[in-house]
Amino acid sequence: MDTSRPFPISKPDLRLAMLGMVDGNGHPYSWSAIFNGYSPAEMAKCPYPVIPAYLSKQPPSAFGIDGVRVTHIWTDDPEDAGRVARASLIPNILERPEDAIGQVEAVVIPTDKGHEHVRRARPFIEAGLPVFIDKPLVDNAADLRTFMAWQAEGKPILSGSCLRYAREFEPYHGSPESLGKLRLVTITTPKSWERYGIHALEGIYPVLGPGFLTAANTGTVDRNIVHFKHAGGADAVAAAISDLAGSFGVLGLYGTAGHARAAFTDTFTAFKRQLEGFVRYLRTGVPPFAFSETVELARMVIAGIRSRDEAGREVALAEI
């Protein structure tokens, strides 16, 4: 049921619900802490040691965003909710995710399994709540069509990767003239194409902009090597290799007049910029980037899967 909540939201203080937690993803801890601050003693128990490590490097003034707090949490494993709530100072634990409706102004779905997102988001989108969904939005064409239909109806939906906001990549957004015409762009990520390929893609997308045409994945489930062609004349190669933990977010740019390399290291800043973008969207109704970009990126993810499943066939994004 659509409650027809006004959007953008004019209330000065906004309550968020953090809903869901899956294996290998600690965003409920880190994202909630960026909004709320955190308990160092409880955060030290976080099962993802990298999170307390990078949070501890920040001064207290780095935490908090524009009068917004995460006030409610639900996780797939109820025991996780208590641990996250204690670590990230969340006062309310929900028995069901749907119980957030009527209690908060917006919802964050911090899970990165694209095939689950329609199911997870549906109750809140249909209730008229703005939703931020972790990357990738989807990993299949049917679910992409569902989100496109919701967005066409005016439902407030935002999804993306923090690598769009990486300060290390920012100088190269828009293809700087000092490099001449870009002919090749490369980027790396660990883990699976289905869950982490979008990190690689959203790292290169602000560099080249829209206009990706085809994808050819000549790799395997564990070693995805995906070649994209771009209308601007550049080729891009995104590698998602399962055990490439030491090379997450390494960007290479090769142009007719120069070349450059950048490595993503500042997770906190990228996450905070990403969450600030969602808050601005809530307050202004203006998304930080066009939904058409999210659609193109989703097609790139899906094309990479389809090409791999079809023995490396070059897949046109237009067929998705």
Side-chain angles (χ1 to χ4, degrees):
M1 180 179 64
D2 191 335
T3 57
S4 299
R5 293 169 179 266
F7 183 81
I9 303 169
S10 59
K11 292 180 63 175
D13 296 317
L14 304 182
R15 300 164 297 174
L16 302 182
M18 194 72 59
L19 303 177
M21 187 168 177
V22 296
D23 59 285
N25 188 328
H27 290 347
Y29 284 95
S30 54
W31 289 1
S32 300
I34 288 170
F35 282 110
N36 291 3
Y38 69 101
S39 163
E42 293 295 333
M43 190 62 77
K45 304 172 187 176
C46 173
Y48 303 97
V50 67
I51 294 176
Y54 69 70
L55 292 178
S56 68
K57 295 177 181 178
Q58 305 300 320
S61 60
F63 296 88
I65 298 175
D66 295 334
V68 183
R69 289 189 65 81
V70 177
T71 57
H72 295 71
I73 187 165
W74 175 87
T75 58
D76 297 67
D77 180 345
E79 293 186 4
D80 284 330
R83 288 189 282 264
V84 176
R86 291 188 293 273
S88 299
L89 312 180
I90 303 171
N92 302 295
I93 297 174
L94 300 170
E95 291 187 6
R96 304 180 310 142
E98 296 86 353
D99 292 340
I101 298 170
Q103 303 297 316
V104 298
E105 281 69 53
V107 163
V108 177
I109 297 175
T111 63
D112 62 354
K113 296 183 179 182
H115 62 277
E116 298 180 350
H117 284 157
V118 165
R119 170 179 60 81
R120 290 182 182 271
R122 184 183 297 277
F124 313 104
I125 290 173
E126 292 182 347
L129 280 171
V131 179
F132 176 73
I133 302 170
D134 190 23
K135 55 74 202 157
L137 178 65
V138 297
D139 58 16
N140 63 86
D143 286 351
L144 178 58
R145 287 192 293 270
T146 297
F147 276 108
M148 290 173 69
W150 278 332
Q151 196 273 340
E153 294 171 2
K155 305 296 188 183
I157 302 165
L158 187 66
S159 179
S161 159
C162 67
L163 264 72
R164 176 184 288 269
Y165 299 90
R167 63 173 180 79
E168 298 88 349
F169 298 171
E170 199 170 35
Y172 307 107
H173 289 181
S175 300
E177 292 183 5
S178 61
L179 300 181
K181 293 184 180 297
L182 286 177
R183 294 300 184 219
L184 176 66
V185 177
T186 64
I187 193 165
T188 54
T189 182
K191 302 190 180 182
S192 71
W193 179 257
E194 284 80 355
R195 294 174 71 173
Y196 264 59
I198 187 64
H199 273 320
L201 299 180
E202 208 143 354
I204 63 175
Y205 194 93
V207 176
L208 293 173
F212 286 88
L213 302 173
T214 64
N217 186 345
T218 56
T220 65
V221 170
D222 293 325
R223 298 176 60 84
N224 295 268
I225 310 297
V226 193
H227 172 203
F228 292 92
K229 294 178 181 178
H230 190 274
D235 291 278
V237 177
I241 299 173
S242 60
D243 60 355
L244 204 64
S247 301
F248 177 38
V250 180
L251 175 70
L253 305 167
Y254 306 91
T256 57
H259 64 276
R261 178 180 174 277
F264 174 63
T265 59
D266 189 350
T267 304
F268 182 88
T269 296
F271 278 154
K272 187 170 184 183
R273 288 177 172 183
Q274 182 180 31
L275 296 172
E276 287 173 334
F278 179 53
V279 171
R280 284 193 297 272
Y281 180 42
L282 296 177
R283 296 198 183 282
T284 67
V286 179
F289 49 88
F291 190 76
S292 60
E293 296 189 10
T294 303
V295 171
E296 183 171 350
L297 285 157
R299 287 179 171 141
M300 293 168 73
V301 170
I302 297 163
I305 297 169
R306 186 173 296 181
S307 174
R308 184 189 66 207
D309 291 348
E310 298 180 16
R313 176 176 73 86
E314 186 172 56
V315 175
L317 267 63
E319 75 179 60
I320 298 169

